[in-house]
Amino acid sequence: MNKLTEEDKKNSFIAAVTSYQNAGIRWEERNRSGLTDKQLEEALCYELGIAGGCSKTGNYPAVAYQGSGLKIWASWDYPNPCIDQPILEGSYTLKMAREVYQISNPDDTQLSLF
């Protein structure tokens, strides 16, 4: 079994948070407006839903996810949320969302300095 690269983890995150129709449009809007950590957490919970997943396709690993705890699992086999460690969880999922979608935090006073 191949180890997941950082690019694999990023692609798994994108697959997990874009499974609902028009997710790309919602992420563009969130990028424009910026979100506090609480708002971003709510947006991620919405996009991840209660629980879901997708099969391995081509060069992408299989993914499982759940809104509770903002958890995302990925594996070249089949991720098992009952026994596998998530690749992203909680604040790490928030960090990935900010990185991937370039979503600013209006509560971050450091941003106003630049």
Side-chain angles (χ1 to χ4, degrees), residues 12-109:
S12 297
F13 167 81
I14 293 168
V17 300
T18 59
S19 62
Y20 291 134
Q21 186 175 2
N22 299 320
I25 294 168
R26 287 189 297 279
W27 285 116
E28 287 174 14
E29 290 170 356
R30 293 167 181 143
N31 169 279
R32 281 193 297 275
S33 67
L35 298 173
T36 65
D37 284 346
K38 179 71 173 156
Q39 291 169 326
L40 182 54
E41 182 179 344
E42 290 170 358
L44 286 163
C45 279
Y46 175 81
E47 297 298 347
L48 293 170
I50 294 171
C54 53
S55 299
K56 180 178 109 170
T57 56
N59 295 327
Y60 296 101
V63 178
Y65 46 86
Q66 70 180 38
S68 177
L70 304 178
K71 295 179 183 180
I72 300 173
W73 296 264
S75 171
W76 289 108
D77 283 333
Y78 298 98
N80 184 336
C82 295
I83 59 174
D84 295 339
Q85 290 288 91
I87 61 164
L88 293 168
E89 179 176 5
S91 63
Y92 295 103
T93 308
L94 287 172
K95 182 179 175 184
M96 181 67 82
R98 290 203 187 279
E99 179 184 315
V100 169
Y101 294 111
Q102 299 296 300
I103 297 172
S104 64
N105 182 347
D107 286 348
D108 188 350
T109 56

